[in-house]
Amino acid sequence: MARAVWEVIDGDKDLVRIMLREFTAFPEIFEPMWQGVLATLYHECAAWIEAQRALGVVEAADPEATAAVLLSSLTYLPLLELLIGHTPGELGREVFLTAWTEHAARTLALRTNPSPNPSAAD
């Protein structure tokens, strides 16, 4: 998921840069883009978290908020790099991704052996 999100941002660098710097000048472009791409991404991630929770793979009290936090932290590196040419803590992408993955696993309380009967785990 992380690499796919980064690839989308990297693939549309010019559009992303315009959206972030000039979004108030072009609301007719920004809002459909937000709803069509970004809001959908947050919704899909929340739905995935909810599905994993139902399977007993993760724990997340609020899948929508959890998705927002995870995606926000994930997108910060490429957006900061795009806008100012620096990364958070001047970290390389792989180091950041390793730390983000550990963070995501803890945030989701990822279970390595989910219960075959999710209701039994409650």
Side-chain angles (χ1 to χ4, degrees), residues 2-3 6 77 81 87 91-102:
R3 291 186 196 284
W6 284 359
L77 179 133
E81 189 174 41
T87 62
L91 297 176
R93 284 183 170 222
E94 292 306 312
V95 172
F96 184 94
L97 185 58
T98 298
W100 182 87
T101 302
E102 291 173 7

